[in-house]
Amino acid sequence: MESVLSISPAFIWFLVGVGFLAAEFGVPAFILLFFGAGAWIVSLLVLLLDIGLTAQVILFISSSLLLLSSLRKYSLKTFKGDVRNALDESFTDSKIGQIALVTKTIKPNFPGEVKVMGSYWRAVSDTTLMEGQSALVVNIESEDGLTLKVIPT
């Protein structure tokens, strides 16, 4: 007499994949997702072919590691996004048009420092600006958003 609780190996591998996906949400390391995909690959193969348990485990490990090594770096670039977010850009862009106080002398080709909105920033200018002089912030000069371009007021 066959047991009522007999579950298909394909369904078991599918549930293992769901478990890895759920674990990925709990521990977002972007690794467990690929093991879940490996389990789903084995689930599909077990559904289509008659494969023994040893072959299933070997397929699971190899497909999971292959997916992990080939897709993780690309997927991180795609899903992680840019390090700078909209809040950072709007905060930095809000400096444009503000009056700054030169705290370290700025010369052409030699950056100095200005104080704007209560913070100190690296600054560059095409003209010499002496310490204590006021300047107008006209642009964000560096890619990291930490260097401001200023002109005399």
Side-chain angles (χ1 to χ4, degrees), residues 29-49:
F30 213 61
I31 293 175
L32 299 176
L33 176 74
F34 298 105
F35 285 92
W40 289 334
I41 289 171
V42 173
S43 175
L44 182 64
L45 290 174
V46 167
L47 192 61
L48 299 174
L49 306 169

Side-chain angles (χ1 to χ4, degrees), residues 26-116:
V27 183
F30 213 61
I31 293 175
L32 299 176
L33 176 74
F34 298 105
F35 285 92
W40 289 334
I41 289 171
V42 173
S43 175
L44 182 64
L45 290 174
V46 167
L47 192 61
L48 299 174
L49 306 169
D50 185 26
I51 302 172
L53 181 60
T54 305
Q56 292 174 26
V57 172
I58 291 170
L59 281 170
F60 167 69
I61 292 171
S62 60
S63 64
S64 297
L65 293 178
L66 180 67
L67 288 170
L68 179 66
S69 65
S70 62
L71 296 177
R72 184 172 188 265
K73 190 172 187 178
Y74 172 76
S75 300
L76 278 175
K77 285 181 189 176
T78 303
F79 295 112
K80 195 170 187 177
D82 194 6
V83 174
R84 290 172 46 185
N85 62 27
L87 180 61
D88 292 340
E89 289 179 18
S90 66
F91 180 71
T92 306
D93 290 344
S94 69
K95 306 261 183 281
I96 296 174
Q98 296 291 320
I99 300 296
L101 175 66
V102 178
T103 56
K104 290 184 183 172
T105 301
I106 306 168
K107 296 180 181 177
N109 299 320
F110 293 101
E113 184 181 79
V114 294
K115 183 177 181 181
V116 175

